Amino acid sequence: MNKYPKIGIRPTIDGRQGGVRESLEEKTMNLARSVAKLITENLRNGDGSPVECVIADTTIGRVGESAACAEKFEREGVGSTITVTSCWCYGAETMDMNPHWPKAVWGFNGTERPGAVYLAAVLAAHAQKGLPAFGIYGHDVQDLADDSIPADVAEKILRFARAAQAVATMRGKSYLSMGSACMGIAGSIVDPNFFQEYLGMRNESVDLTEIIRRMTEGIYDHVEFEKAMEWTRENCMTNEGEDIANRPEKAKTREQKDQDWEFIVKMMMIMKDLMHGNPRLAELGYKEEAIGHNAIAGGFQGQRQWTDFYPNGDYPEALMNTSFDWNGLREPITLATENDAGNGVAMLFNHLLTGRAQIFSDVRTYWSPEAVKRVTGKELTGMAANGIIHLINSGATTLDGSGAATDAEGKPVMKHFWEMTDKDVDACLQATTWYPANRDYFRGGGFSSNFLTRGGMPVTMVRLNLVKGLGPVLQLAEGWTVDVDPEIHKVLDKRTDPTWPTTWFVPRLTDKAPFKDVYSVMNNWGANHGAITYGHVGADLITLCSMLRIPVCMHNVEDEKIFRPASWNAFGMDKEGADFRACKNYGPIYK
């Protein structure tokens, strides 16, 4: 088990002794226990362990008890807090003052005691002190003896907790750039100020010669390598595709292809060691290399200096982002193709909120119904009828993205790794063909993963961009993967690169721009890549971004699902404009 931050539960109370406080002690602590139980039973960390909560030793009625709670939370590794109360409390004395902890307050909606009055008062104190807090107030009045959590309150508590845990988990970790900028892609011009000030992360970087050095000098676990090669021969090399991308003079020989397979397996082992470290290396005498870079996410430059000479990174990129490898089921490792840190951060946000593997794709082409009819002679139907966006990538998409895993009803799904079965793993592997890389693109060879994502999965496409003078902004589009007529797919796929994996995507359309049509979504996308996660999680992303002071410039989430700190209401009645103004006003957490 990894060590994860915990969520602190702060039961606040009316401090007046002599009848008032005593009558509320049990009720207040019961609410705190209910919140802790809700979170622990419903939320998991990336390794599958339950999110842990820490409750203050006593109820908090005066500032001394606030201080004692804060000291306990520091010792226990708390990274965010939820304050709960059923009554009036002394707001400025009982509030959480830690500037780095995301914070929420649940004021119990009951008539016997004014929990709502405290909620309003303490949120005003948070706003006045510049410490934004999320306000949680149930829609319906509850009886004082009722310690249950209403559904609307539970939804907000869990939305806050998911996002807050993501914020706390990133803090103190690293983004590892393996290589540097790729082919002039802006996202791979990594901005350390953004990572430091907005995410609380540091930036680490290694030149790609480090991978070659470790290969050449044998700085990897040779026993694991043999295990990895045996698994790769049985599960990947057996699904090697024909060399359809290369002219005969560019095709590699069988011996060269076998050497490429060994090379890319070693690449993956070394890239994992660089990110996370490996105690096995210390046993082998490589103490420095065993440490790793404490990376929660990373990126591999690849093109062009590497791929013009060595096999490409498609195999390690695809498999690291997958929920399994030769060691069995495990948490997917967030790794961005082409070292696109903007997309890597979007993948990381998605993964921390969902615990699932992430699809990295080019947002390649919008196909209108008219264009499809002209090119193929066939019409798009069903969910694809209004046009489709071709998500395709140079071979590095997670194998989970095939949609080959299924739920109890046989529908495609991208599962948490701890829910995957042997049947799911085998289905994902069998759905993937490994084609020899197109050597017009990748002169050094290698292999590209290829599959067609099954339609019908709810997904959210996300991107983080940096804008001069504005800072970071996030955009998202909830939608679905879709199936198209096989003949349509065949024709359209051949117009790009048939050795790469394809996902056909349609966003959920609304009556508001830029979601009035599929073309507008594509036309308003801010970069060449997107991070795609299973599920409609736009509301969670909006909550997370408000904690990080990152405005959301494009989304199709219903207004009633949007949950931001209470003080955002003071920045105007238009929700999105208020988001930009509030983020600018407060600035990044760690600056």
Side-chain angles (χ1 to χ4, degrees):
M1 291 286 186
N2 298 315
K3 186 175 182 180
Y4 287 95
K6 302 172 185 176
I7 296 177
I9 313 298
R10 308 176 70 257
T12 57
I13 200 167
D14 191 324
R16 288 172 283 199
Q17 298 279 2
V20 177
R21 178 166 183 163
E22 292 86 346
S23 68
L24 297 165
E25 290 280 3
E26 183 178 358
K27 171 67 180 179
T28 305
M29 290 303 291
N30 282 344
L31 289 179
R33 296 185 188 103
S34 295
V35 171
K37 184 173 185 288
L38 174 73
I39 292 171
T40 300
E41 290 182 350
N42 286 278
L43 300 186
R44 296 198 187 196
N45 295 305
D47 65 356
S49 61
V51 173
E52 293 185 64
C53 294
V54 178
I55 301 175
D57 289 334
T58 67
T59 55
I60 301 167
R62 302 304 300 267
V63 69
E65 290 159 328
S66 292
C69 173
E71 290 173 4
K72 177 180 181 178
F73 285 0
E74 291 281 5
R75 292 193 306 270
E76 293 283 347
V78 162
S80 60
T81 65
I82 300 176
T83 297
V84 300
T85 191
S86 62
C87 61
W88 167 256
C89 315
Y90 303 163
E93 291 192 29
T94 59
M95 64 188 288
D96 169 19
M97 293 284 288
N98 188 306
H100 293 162
W101 291 345
K103 48 192 100 284
V105 184
W106 174 29
F108 182 83
N109 185 358
T111 55
E112 292 88 347
R113 296 288 182 177
V117 178
Y118 169 70
L119 176 63
V122 78
L123 290 176
H126 278 286
Q128 187 168 331
K129 293 177 180 293
L131 299 170
F134 290 77
I136 301 172
Y137 181 54
H139 184 273
D140 297 320
V141 171
Q142 291 179 256
D143 296 332
L144 188 61
D146 183 2
D147 294 329
S148 67
I149 302 177
D152 62 326
V153 172
E155 181 180 1
K156 288 184 175 180
I157 288 173
L158 293 176
R159 178 154 292 143
F160 168 84
R162 275 191 293 269
Q165 189 70 351
V167 171
T169 300
M170 286 186 285
R171 190 184 307 133
K173 301 296 195 306
S174 304
Y175 176 90
L176 176 62
S177 294
M178 287 174 269
S180 184
C182 172
M183 298 191 299
I185 293 173
S188 65
I189 304 172
V190 181
D191 183 350
N193 291 325
F194 162 71
F195 278 91
Q196 178 181 326
E197 295 176 2
Y198 283 88
L199 308 183
M201 292 173 59
R202 72 172 72 208
N203 291 87
E204 292 284 284
S205 178
V206 294
D207 189 271
L208 292 179
T209 55
E210 176 62 9
I211 295 176
I212 295 300
R213 182 184 77 87
R214 294 194 184 199
M215 274 195 204
T216 304
E217 298 184 359
I219 306 175
Y220 55 87
D221 185 342
H222 293 253
V223 174
E224 183 182 358
F225 173 68
E226 294 302 324
K227 177 182 180 182
M229 280 307 307
E230 181 180 359
W231 183 89
T232 301
R233 290 187 192 99
E234 292 177 358
N235 295 287
C236 301
M237 295 175 69
T238 53
N239 282 351
E240 183 183 312
E242 295 182 9
D243 200 343
I244 62 175
N246 295 303
R247 301 180 297 278
E249 65 270 20
K250 281 202 169 184
K252 289 194 173 186
T253 66
R254 180 69 259 163
E255 182 181 4
Q256 289 172 321
K257 290 175 183 176
D258 289 344
Q259 290 172 350
D260 280 1
W261 278 110
E262 293 192 0
F263 187 96
I264 59 181
V265 169
K266 289 177 185 176
M267 273 180 71
M268 177 168 164
M269 293 177 57
I270 292 169
M271 290 161 74
K272 286 200 300 180
D273 291 348
L274 284 167
M275 289 182 68
H276 301 157
N278 186 347
R280 174 66 178 146
L281 296 183
E283 296 173 9
L284 298 172
Y286 304 111
K287 295 182 180 179
E288 185 177 357
E289 290 85 352
I291 298 172
H293 289 267
N294 193 38
I296 195 173
F300 177 72
Q301 174 195 335
Q303 299 185 77
R304 282 193 40 202
Q305 291 81 5
W306 179 275
T307 56
D308 277 3
F309 191 61
Y310 294 117
N312 65 20
D314 287 3
Y315 180 83
E317 289 169 3
L319 208 54
M320 286 173 72
N321 280 305
T322 295
S323 296
F324 57 83
D325 59 19
W326 48 79
N327 290 317
L329 298 173
R330 55 145 174 81
E331 181 179 4
I333 301 168
T334 300
L335 184 70
T337 298
E338 296 165 347
N339 195 31
D340 183 350
N343 219 50
V345 168
M347 293 169 72
L348 179 60
F349 287 178
N350 289 346
H351 173 64
L352 291 175
L353 290 172
T354 69
R356 303 176 197 262
Q358 301 301 311
I359 296 173
F360 182 111
S361 276
D362 283 358
V363 185
R364 179 61 68 100
T365 309
Y366 162 69
W367 279 99
S368 68
E370 297 78 12
V372 170
K373 181 69 179 293
R374 176 180 61 82
V375 169
T376 69
K378 290 177 171 284
E379 294 187 355
L380 294 171
T381 58
M383 294 182 69
N386 293 317
I388 49 180
I389 294 176
H390 194 178
L391 303 178
I392 187 171
N393 175 249
S394 52
T397 302
T398 170
L399 273 57
D400 300 64
S402 64
T406 55
D407 62 16
E409 298 175 350
K411 295 178 180 179
V413 65
M414 293 174 66
K415 296 181 178 180
H416 300 105
F417 80 86
W418 58 84
E419 298 169 328
M420 294 278 281
T421 65
D422 291 342
K423 183 179 178 182
D424 292 325
V425 171
D426 186 63
C428 290
L429 288 165
Q430 292 304 313
T432 306
T433 302
W434 296 94
Y435 285 105
N438 184 333
R439 296 188 68 196
D440 288 340
Y441 287 115
F442 305 114
R443 297 174 184 175
F447 293 90
S448 295
S449 61
N450 171 271
F451 54 75
L452 174 61
T453 300
R454 292 179 64 189
M457 293 194 295
V459 294
T460 305
M461 184 168 74
V462 186
R463 173 71 196 191
L464 182 127
N465 294 305
L466 300 179
V467 180
K468 180 72 172 179
L470 174 62
V473 294
L474 187 118
Q475 55 186 166
L476 65 92
E478 293 184 343
W480 296 268
T481 63
V482 294
D483 294 317
V484 300
D485 184 301
E487 290 300 316
I488 292 177
H489 167 73
K490 185 176 180 180
V491 173
L492 302 188
D493 200 39
K494 282 186 176 180
R495 292 173 70 101
T496 53
D497 192 313
T499 69
W500 297 348
T502 280
T503 303
W504 296 111
F505 170 71
V506 297
R508 184 178 64 248
L509 302 181
T510 70
D511 60 352
K512 298 179 181 178
F515 289 93
K516 287 188 174 182
D517 53 49
V518 179
Y519 166 80
S520 296
V521 174
M522 173 79 181
N523 194 41
N524 283 275
W525 205 247
N528 54 308
H529 292 146
I532 297 88
T533 191
Y534 182 87
H536 289 161
V537 298
D540 287 346
L541 283 158
I542 289 172
T543 295
L544 171 63
C545 285
S546 68
M547 293 178 183
L548 298 170
R549 320 290 198 259
I550 298 173
V552 178
C553 64
M554 171 180 166
H555 72 82
N556 57 347
V557 177
E558 301 93 329
D559 282 352
E560 58 269 20
K561 290 186 177 180
I562 294 175
F563 187 38
R564 292 180 171 123
S567 59
W568 263 236
N569 296 326
F571 290 88
M573 293 176 63
D574 58 317
K575 286 183 177 292
E576 307 321 317
D579 184 34
F580 276 81
R581 291 185 287 273
C583 289
K584 180 179 180 180
N585 177 71
Y586 291 113
I589 308 174
Y590 307 106
K591 190 171 183 178

